Each structure stands twice: as structure tokens, then as C-alpha cells.
Amino acid sequence: MPIIKEFTIRLEDRPGTLGKLCQSLAEQDINILAYQQFAREKGQGSVRLVVDNPDKTRTALDRQRNDYSETEVAKVLLANRPGELARVASRLGEANINVDYGYSGAEPGANASFLILGVADAAKALKLLEHAAAAGAKT
């Protein structure tokens, strides 16, 4: 369960802007592993992306003069079975860690998904979940 980089890119809320952004990343052979889009204010939106190569992504976004920010988020692997999200969310809640936002993605060729969690302290959240996973594996 690593801490990874997430890019939040501000875009105009109009047809074609998402396609242009994604095409510019694809042309640099950057794979988007997880995606979330949301409205910000009238005429503006944002896209959150987790990619396979943050350094190349940063270079591509700078070259295109995109307005973006980076943050560290928790990447948690989830088994594909009922109750997994409940287990993770409950553990964080019990430790008084609030989930500000979340979305999911998948590694190429993987049978399991992962969850991206925006929390105030990604390292603390991951340490808690890794400890819980290790304890669960022993029982």
C-alpha cells in the first residue's frame, strides 16, 4: 500500500477539453490508472488522475501550460469481494481519520482494484491499514 502522486488538473468545462488532455498524455505514453472528474465553479472543472509515470506527466502538463497541483494520496489494494470498502472505511473511522474523497482504478492486467483515498495524513492512514492487513493475514 504505497503513497502515490495524484494530479488535479483544472480544465474549462466544455466539450473536448478532457479528450485533449488525455490525448496529450497518451502521446507521451503515459497510462492513466485512475480518474475522477468534478465541477468546481461555473465554467470550470477539475480532473484527478493517478498515472504510471508522474515525472513524465509533470513534464507534459508543464509543456501544455496546464493549471495543476500535486498531492500525496493513499493507494490501497482491495480484494474483489463484498465488504472490502466497508472494512477499509471502518478502520479509518475507528482511528478518527476522515476520508475527504475517494475513487478507484486498476493496474493493467490486474484482477484486483485499488482505491485512492484523499486524507489529511496519507502516511498515517496507510500505516493503520497495513497493520490491519498484516493482523488479518495472521488469523
Side-chain angles (χ1 to χ4, degrees):
M1 291 185 232
I3 295 174
I4 59 171
K5 289 288 185 181
E6 170 193 78
F7 292 87
T8 302
I9 303 132
R10 194 173 182 124
L11 298 173
E12 288 184 51
D13 187 12
R14 61 180 173 79
T17 56
L18 178 62
K20 183 179 175 182
L21 168 67
C22 293
Q23 184 62 40
S24 71
L25 297 177
E27 288 170 358
Q28 298 301 313
D29 200 31
I30 297 166
N31 192 15
I32 297 170
L33 304 175
Y35 155 86
Q36 180 188 39
Q37 186 169 356
F38 54 98
R40 291 193 80 126
E41 55 207 37
K42 188 171 177 81
Q44 295 291 314
S46 288
V47 174
R48 288 186 177 121
L49 299 177
V50 172
V51 296
D52 65 344
N53 190 322
D55 292 332
K56 282 175 68 175
T57 301
R58 193 176 305 106
T59 299
L61 293 173
D62 287 342
R63 187 177 306 126
Q64 294 291 321
R65 296 189 175 133
N66 288 98
D67 180 15
Y68 71 94
S69 62
E70 293 179 58
T71 191
E72 291 185 338
V73 292
K75 178 182 172 189
V76 180
L77 293 175
L78 295 178
N80 188 6
R81 62 178 177 238
E84 285 299 291
L85 180 56
R87 181 183 58 80
V88 168
S90 295
R91 295 276 182 173
L92 293 172
E94 290 164 5
N96 204 31
I97 297 173
N98 188 46
V99 177
D100 296 325
Y101 61 90
Y103 54 102
S104 62
E107 297 285 351
N111 291 329
S113 62
F114 60 80
L115 182 65
I116 301 299
L117 296 172
V119 295
D121 188 339
K124 180 179 176 184
L126 283 177
K127 185 175 181 180
L128 170 82
L129 294 172
E130 287 171 346
H131 179 61
K138 294 177 185 175
T139 59

